[in-house]
Amino acid sequence: MTDYHQGLAAGPANHTPLSPVSLVKRTAQAFPDTPAIVFDGAVQSWAHTYERCRRLAGALRVEGVDGQTTVAALCRNLPAAVELAYAVPMSRGVLNMINTRLDPEGVAFILDHGEAAVLFVDSGLAAVAEAALEIAARSPTLVLIEDPQAPFPEDWRAGGVPYEDFMAGAAPVAEDDLLPSDEWDAIALNYTSGTTGNPKGVVYHHRGAYLNAIGNSVEWSLPAHPRYLWTLPLFHCNGWCFPWTLAAKAGTSVCLRAPTGPDILDALRSEAVTHMCGAPIVLNMATTQAEADAVTLPAPVAFMTAGAAPPAAVLARAEQVGFAVTHVYGLTEVYGPAAVCAWRDEWNEAPAAEQARLRARQGVNYAVLEELSVRDPETLAEVPADGATMGEVMFRGNVVMKGYLKNPEATTAAFAGGHFRSGDLAVRHADGHVELKDRSKDIIISGGENISSIEVEGVLYQHPDVAEAAVVAAPDEKWGETPMAFIELRPGASVSSDAVIAFCRERLAHFKCPRHIAFEPLPKTSTGKIQKFELRARALAATGA
Amino acid sequence: MTDYHQGLAAGPANHTPLSPVSLVKRTAQAFPDTPAIVFDGAVQSWAHTYERCRRLAGALRVEGVDGQTTVAALCRNLPAAVELAYAVPMSRGVLNMINTRLDPEGVAFILDHGEAAVLFVDSGLAAVAEAALEIAARSPTLVLIEDPQAPFPEDWRAGGVPYEDFMAGAAPVAEDDLLPSDEWDAIALNYTSGTTGNPKGVVYHHRGAYLNAIGNSVEWSLPAHPRYLWTLPLFHCNGWCFPWTLAAKAGTSVCLRAPTGPDILDALRSEAVTHMCGAPIVLNMATTQAEADAVTLPAPVAFMTAGAAPPAAVLARAEQVGFAVTHVYGLTEVYGPAAVCAWRDEWNEAPAAEQARLRARQGVNYAVLEELSVRDPETLAEVPADGATMGEVMFRGNVVMKGYLKNPEATTAAFAGGHFRSGDLAVRHADGHVELKDRSKDIIISGGENISSIEVEGVLYQHPDVAEAAVVAAPDEKWGETPMAFIELRPGASVSSDAVIAFCRERLAHFKCPRHIAFEPLPKTSTGKIQKFELRARALAATGA
């Protein structure tokens, strides 16, 4: 026996907390003049971005931010959103990027539940922010990010200090004081709408954020200096950790106010974009725009897509115009993508339809994820790799969340048995790849956004004429999926589809409202459970694929 | 204040020890049929390699191997050496790859100091192994790796069980039992020959090995499935962690008995090699062979070089035949390379000589290394980035060793002040890059001025007749020390001392030029390092104090 412990303890020379902050610091030193952020034709270098973020972090610390402080932001994919991804971790605060598509009630719930001490507000979202602040119990310090194309309204009453003024007054945090005290410390808080009413606050740690950032780089074989177009919202799993991936590879964030077809195509061409991420709907949008403009991309653009399997027809068209598509899979709880359809060279020999089928599978774990498994949710036994036996997708490893904020019951349930239980159903094929068979039964994914069917049903049930309601996903060319409602009316009642939709729009973010309504009896199991798989079949038939 | 600790602890779902073993397991699942090892025309897949390594690990556990057990190997770059890099960590043992160029006394010292419980012996090294075992106090279990081209001698008396038999009898370690209990556990023991006294045993941990493996992939922007030629010895910092890097990228190890010019060039062409590592001397050897054969490589081969700055002349010739050179820097104590001359696009505009000068610098920290600094060894103050002020190179971060085995004094000294002190002297340039000036003991101090032996050697290498050169301090009555050069000429070349000195005076400040020249073979360590202490002795004798 050899003693490999005595005199071999960890100390400051050989152990530092894993944190994305280290990647920012290093790139600012190694590539100071490389562009970090491009927006509206303006270019900001890595050295300048680093210096600004250290000052922003300094300003946050003056506000009292520490490792137990939530710093929230309601901001589109502007340069400030990228800077916040660096500066808030440098302050040791916990970054809470809020879904910009939520209604004021949704934003207010998050501000209160997350106990935001500071809120960064993008002027383009001033109206929803002001309304949310009126509802919310909390009154966070406001910092105002003004977009000259959509300035704050004259009658903006919520107060606040301009973003540039906020950071201008502060001393930058010292370079040797940027890291968290522990890599297990929280770095971000991301709310996810589960299948039950209120969203849950998913807490990320520095260790996981660092590893998934590096993991993106490894899975995508990122070259030095990728030029990355921000269509994926930065509030989605912190832009799936890509601000930190770009820091690892000294890449450039090309920012966009909104991911419209023309703006995407314009940026692809004028900014020499090499990489981008998004839901299949964004891939479809960019492809359609390129087709409409009769443009073939001058160089291939790597496109990482997640949120739903990319349809074969979209894949084929996208590759035609010059996108090289990588399909990844994950959930908010695993920092965004943690599985990848890892392409095998031998598949290049397969017919195109077979290739599309293979590419639509969710694949295998990221190298940085210890395990992606498909298990019987009761016994935890792994399903056989037969491509037929369904089980629940489970994740285990360092890119799994700390847990849900102030929700120990949900955390315990999610981690029961020592795996994160995704709620997604899948099979494992003989070649080892996992394929989803049913996104968790209730979730509708519309334009990359999760919609809880139960939340929509809850509103429908508020309508006086509704006896029973069930909401499922209907296929939609543009959005991927949209909610379709099946309703049994109360005896003698009568109401139009339009009236029901209008009722919902008063109570829900518009993207969550049903696009189609069917008034008919609901199919049920013998124990009285509504059979959603049957409703999905009806929705498919009704909306017609 | 938001409570980001309560109910958010680490558990089996969201925390696993960082270990290279995870990368092997994952690639075996994601790319089972991809070649892992190629040797003598035989190909072994990742699935097969994984299964063999699990069995080998099982056999080691039967031998009683655990986290406090040293498993030594004296083996060339054969497939077994790659398998041991995977299997020994899976057994939880500590892998001790022994320098194959040591004499029996050196091997015996390591077996005894490291307390090897098992020794794998390559038949090509049977003689030194047998002699070492006669000297050593320990009698490790012997496992015999037979190379059919150099079988064990008839009269081999040391005993042992054949490698294939050893693993054939064992049950593979279960897939959920492969990881260490803690990422800080030791994974490897690598002896480094100081210039004085006994070698020190550098202990690596799983966390650092994992991170440096990933770090190699990030710095080199490795594509999927690199085909990697093993010229760098696997006993050098575990092949600088590249067995584990290849696991992360599902690459292929192309093994070689010995890195001779013809064998390297043959492998480059017949095995479609894409990547390789080695000292500048190997780069020079491969380049010279390509020139001799009048061959240009069909596709660029990425060459990562370390151990000394590549001379400009070698760089230029290497790029001519098709090598794309990346210069990295490190020491055994930091898992091999932990700094990289990170190339900046704007340098492409510089003249060739300037590019060579830039590429010869040691550069900046790896993304996975927290900090590379140049400090006053007394005050620990960082030197100004003026390209002139010398200080000691120091490392801090997760890719720094646990410490030296059974040598707490040396460990404490190496980590004094919270940095690993390399003993190398360097400057930091205004652009942030670090440039080595010398080992602290190799610096020449003449009339109070520091002379970098590396700088003088760089000029000597520009001389067309010089094959190898080394410069050391010779005692001098007037100046204290003056440079003396030891030179090996190219075959057939002839040049006078005066001509060489004149050549230097055209290119260097006169006080830096050698006052004495000796044309003679250079003494080298078993790892090919020029033995400057021996040259200093010769300089003392030649110039006579």
Side-chain angles (χ1 to χ4, degrees):
Chain A
M1 198 194 96
T2 314
D3 190 338
Y4 279 102
H5 298 307
Q6 184 69 33
L8 298 170
N14 58 12
H15 192 284
T16 44
L18 295 174
S19 168
V21 168
S22 300
L23 303 174
V24 180
K25 177 184 172 188
R26 187 268 182 176
T27 283
Q29 183 173 58
F31 299 103
D33 301 326
T34 298
I37 304 177
V38 172
F39 183 61
D40 272 357
V43 177
Q44 182 173 297
S45 71
W46 272 101
H48 192 195
T49 300
Y50 177 57
E51 192 271 335
R52 282 171 60 83
C53 291
R54 282 170 56 213
R55 275 196 287 122
L56 185 47
L60 288 168
R61 290 209 189 157
V62 169
E63 284 292 316
V65 168
D66 66 13
Q68 302 279 72
T69 310
T70 303
V71 177
L74 192 65
C75 185
R76 293 164 296 161
N77 282 0
L78 305 180
V82 178
E83 291 182 334
L84 288 167
Y86 304 144
V88 177
M90 288 176 182
S91 78
R92 301 206 182 100
V94 182
L95 177 62
N96 173 214
M97 296 292 292
I98 300 175
N99 187 331
T100 58
R101 296 164 193 160
L102 289 178
D103 56 19
E105 289 75 12
V107 174
F109 171 83
I110 287 172
L111 292 176
D112 284 342
H113 187 270
E115 303 172 43
V118 182
L119 174 64
F120 288 81
V121 178
D122 164 5
S123 56
L125 299 160
V128 66
E130 192 157 41
L133 288 163
E134 280 176 15
I135 300 166
R138 293 191 72 83
S139 298
T141 299
L142 290 184
V143 185
L144 308 180
I145 300 161
E146 182 136 305
D147 174 7
Q149 285 198 6
F152 281 97
E154 291 285 339
D155 64 346
W156 170 260
R157 299 175 313 280
V161 54
Y163 183 69
E164 295 295 334
D165 296 354
F166 182 72
M167 78 167 78
V173 173
E175 295 207 69
D176 60 0
D177 190 31
L178 293 169
L179 288 178
S181 56
D182 189 307
E183 66 194 36
W184 193 252
D185 285 355
I187 187 172
L189 173 65
N190 290 303
Y191 281 83
T192 179
S193 49
T195 49
T196 55
N198 282 326
K200 287 178 288 197
V202 175
V203 181
Y204 290 178
H205 44 81
H206 281 256
R207 174 182 170 98
Y210 178 93
L211 290 170
N212 217 39
I214 297 277
N216 283 329
S217 168
V218 170
E219 295 316 327
W220 223 358
S221 297
L222 276 185
H225 315 310
R227 291 182 65 87
Y228 180 89
L229 180 64
W230 277 108
T231 57
L232 177 72
L234 273 144
F235 64 75
H236 258 178
C237 312
N238 299 101
W240 299 348
C241 302
F242 267 94
W244 306 320
T245 299
L246 293 171
K249 293 300 299 181
T252 302
S253 283
V254 179
C255 289
L256 272 189
R257 287 184 177 81
T260 67
D263 285 357
I264 290 172
L265 214 66
D266 182 55
L268 290 182
R269 287 184 290 181
S270 65
E271 293 296 347
V273 167
T274 59
H275 292 75
M276 62 186 293
C277 298
I281 187 177
V282 176
L283 178 62
N284 191 17
M285 184 193 295
T287 299
T288 302
Q289 188 70 42
E291 289 167 342
D293 299 357
V295 163
T296 304
L297 301 176
V301 172
F303 196 113
M304 189 178 266
T305 190
V314 172
L315 273 178
R317 288 168 46 222
E319 302 205 337
Q320 197 67 32
V321 303
F323 290 108
V325 178
T326 298
H327 177 211
V328 294
Y329 158 68
L331 300 90
T332 299
E333 287 86 342
V334 295
Y335 297 75
V340 55
C341 180
W343 196 251
R344 299 185 186 171
D345 289 343
E346 58 262 37
W347 294 343
N348 291 326
E349 312 300 322
E354 173 72 359
Q355 287 195 26
R357 190 187 69 75
L358 292 166
R359 202 182 290 281
R361 302 187 305 175
Q362 281 64 32
V364 297
N365 52 317
Y366 261 38
V368 295
L369 177 74
E370 184 60 25
E371 185 186 281
L372 172 76
S373 59
V374 183
R375 294 173 184 272
D376 181 306
E378 302 296 323
T379 66
L380 286 182
E382 284 200 73
V383 301
D386 60 8
T389 310
M390 277 216 262
E392 185 175 0
V393 178
M394 300 194 187
F395 297 78
R396 165 181 267 176
N398 296 305
V399 291
V400 173
M401 65 171 177
K402 285 183 80 152
Y404 299 113
L405 183 68
K406 299 191 291 188
N407 201 339
E409 301 75 22
T411 302
T412 302
F415 290 158
H419 300 263
F420 168 65
R421 293 153 175 265
S422 70
D424 287 343
L425 298 179
V427 299
R428 193 187 287 280
H429 289 277
D431 61 12
H433 276 233
V434 168
E435 183 179 8
L436 285 202
K437 284 303 180 181
D438 202 353
R439 294 287 291 188
S440 65
K441 291 175 293 256
D442 300 326
I443 282 289
I444 300 154
I445 302 172
S446 186
E449 297 293 331
N450 283 356
I451 300 173
S452 159
S453 61
I454 290 176
E455 181 184 4
V456 183
E457 289 158 9
V459 169
L460 291 170
Y461 275 108
Q462 295 172 25
H463 192 286
D465 293 324
V466 169
E468 269 197 291
V471 174
V472 297
D476 185 278
E477 273 197 13
K478 179 168 180 196
W479 299 104
E481 294 176 347
T482 54
M484 176 165 181
F486 291 83
I487 293 174
E488 283 188 27
L489 291 175
R490 291 182 190 282
S494 169
V495 64
S496 72
S497 290
D498 287 350
V500 171
I501 291 171
F503 180 89
C504 290
R505 289 170 77 103
E506 286 169 21
R507 291 162 177 83
L508 280 174
H510 288 190
F511 77 92
K512 295 182 179 175
C513 296
R515 300 290 177 108
H516 308 278
I517 311 269
F519 299 98
E520 57 189 62
L522 302 181
K524 291 184 184 155
T525 66
S526 55
T527 60
K529 280 189 184 170
I530 294 170
Q531 293 178 299
K532 286 206 168 174
F533 69 90
E534 167 61 21
L535 291 179
R536 274 189 286 272
R538 292 188 196 175
L540 182 65
T543 58
Chain B
M1 197 192 98
T2 314
D3 189 340
Y4 279 103
H5 297 307
Q6 185 69 34
L8 298 170
N14 58 11
H15 192 286
T16 43
L18 295 174
S19 169
V21 168
S22 300
L23 304 173
V24 180
K25 177 182 171 188
R26 187 268 184 174
T27 284
Q29 182 172 57
F31 299 102
D33 300 327
T34 297
I37 304 176
V38 172
F39 183 62
D40 271 356
V43 177
Q44 183 173 297
S45 72
W46 272 102
H48 191 194
T49 300
Y50 178 56
E51 192 272 335
R52 282 171 59 84
C53 291
R54 283 170 56 214
R55 274 195 287 124
L56 184 46
L60 287 168
R61 289 208 188 157
V62 169
E63 285 293 316
V65 168
D66 66 14
Q68 303 279 73
T69 309
T70 303
V71 177
L74 191 66
C75 185
R76 292 165 295 160
N77 282 359
L78 305 179
V82 177
E83 292 182 333
L84 287 168
Y86 304 143
V88 176
M90 287 177 183
S91 78
R92 301 203 182 99
V94 181
L95 177 61
N96 174 213
M97 296 292 292
I98 300 175
N99 186 330
T100 57
R101 296 162 194 159
L102 290 178
D103 56 20
E105 289 74 15
V107 174
F109 171 84
I110 288 173
L111 292 175
D112 284 341
H113 186 270
E115 303 172 44
V118 182
L119 174 64
F120 288 81
V121 178
D122 164 5
S123 56
L125 300 160
V128 67
E130 191 157 41
L133 287 163
E134 280 176 16
I135 300 166
R138 293 191 72 84
S139 299
T141 298
L142 290 185
V143 184
L144 308 179
I145 299 161
E146 182 137 306
D147 173 8
Q149 285 198 6
F152 281 97
E154 290 286 338
D155 63 345
W156 170 262
R157 297 176 314 278
V161 54
Y163 184 68
E164 294 295 335
D165 295 354
F166 182 71
M167 78 168 79
V173 173
E175 295 208 70
D176 61 0
D177 190 30
L178 293 169
L179 289 178
S181 55
D182 190 306
E183 66 195 37
W184 194 254
D185 284 355
I187 188 172
L189 173 66
N190 289 302
Y191 282 83
T192 178
S193 48
T195 47
T196 55
N198 283 325
K200 287 177 288 197
V202 174
V203 181
Y204 290 177
H205 45 81
H206 281 256
R207 175 182 170 97
Y210 178 92
L211 289 170
N212 217 38
I214 297 278
N216 284 330
S217 168
V218 170
E219 296 316 327
W220 222 358
S221 296
L222 276 184
H225 315 310
R227 290 181 68 86
Y228 180 91
L229 180 64
W230 277 108
T231 56
L232 176 72
L234 273 145
F235 64 77
H236 257 180
C237 312
N238 299 100
W240 301 346
C241 301
F242 267 93
W244 306 318
T245 300
L246 294 170
K249 294 300 300 182
T252 302
S253 283
V254 179
C255 290
L256 272 188
R257 287 184 177 81
T260 66
D263 285 356
I264 290 172
L265 214 68
D266 182 55
L268 289 182
R269 288 184 288 182
S270 65
E271 292 296 346
V273 167
T274 59
H275 292 75
M276 62 186 293
C277 298
I281 188 174
V282 175
L283 177 63
N284 191 14
M285 184 194 296
T287 299
T288 303
Q289 186 71 42
E291 289 167 343
D293 298 357
V295 163
T296 304
L297 301 175
V301 172
F303 196 113
M304 188 177 265
T305 188
V314 172
L315 274 177
R317 289 168 47 223
E319 301 204 340
Q320 198 66 35
V321 302
F323 290 108
V325 178
T326 299
H327 176 211
V328 294
Y329 159 66
L331 300 90
T332 300
E333 287 86 342
V334 296
Y335 297 75
V340 56
C341 179
W343 195 250
R344 298 186 186 171
D345 289 344
E346 58 263 35
W347 294 343
N348 291 326
E349 312 299 321
E354 173 72 357
Q355 287 195 26
R357 190 188 67 77
L358 292 166
R359 202 183 290 281
R361 302 187 305 174
Q362 281 64 32
V364 297
N365 52 319
Y366 260 37
V368 295
L369 177 74
E370 185 60 25
E371 185 185 280
L372 173 76
S373 59
V374 183
R375 295 174 185 271
D376 181 306
E378 301 296 323
T379 67
L380 285 183
E382 284 200 73
V383 301
D386 60 7
T389 311
M390 276 211 261
E392 185 175 359
V393 179
M394 301 195 187
F395 297 78
R396 165 181 269 174
N398 296 306
V399 291
V400 173
M401 65 171 177
K402 286 182 79 152
Y404 300 113
L405 182 68
K406 299 191 291 189
N407 200 339
E409 301 75 24
T411 302
T412 301
F415 290 158
H419 300 263
F420 167 65
R421 292 152 175 266
S422 70
D424 286 341
L425 298 179
V427 298
R428 192 186 286 282
H429 288 277
D431 62 10
H433 275 233
V434 167
E435 183 178 9
L436 232 54
K437 288 298 180 181
D438 231 328
R439 289 290 299 176
S440 50
K441 60 191 174 305
D442 291 339
I443 202 86
I444 302 157
I445 303 174
S446 187
E449 297 290 334
N450 283 352
I451 299 173
S452 158
S453 62
I454 292 173
E455 182 183 4
V456 184
E457 288 159 7
V459 168
L460 292 171
Y461 271 108
Q462 294 172 25
H463 194 288
D465 294 326
V466 170
E468 278 198 281
V471 174
V472 298
D476 186 278
E477 273 192 23
K478 180 173 181 191
W479 300 105
E481 294 177 347
T482 54
M484 175 165 181
F486 292 82
I487 293 173
E488 281 187 25
L489 293 177
R490 289 183 189 281
S494 168
V495 64
S496 71
S497 293
D498 287 350
V500 170
I501 291 172
F503 182 87
C504 290
R505 289 169 78 102
E506 285 170 24
R507 290 165 178 81
L508 279 174
H510 288 191
F511 78 94
K512 293 182 179 176
C513 295
R515 300 292 178 107
H516 309 277
I517 310 268
F519 297 100
E520 57 189 61
L522 301 181
K524 292 187 184 149
T525 68
S526 55
T527 60
K529 279 189 186 169
I530 294 168
Q531 291 177 301
K532 286 203 169 174
F533 69 91
E534 167 63 22
L535 291 179
R536 273 189 288 272
R538 292 188 195 173
L540 183 65
T543 59

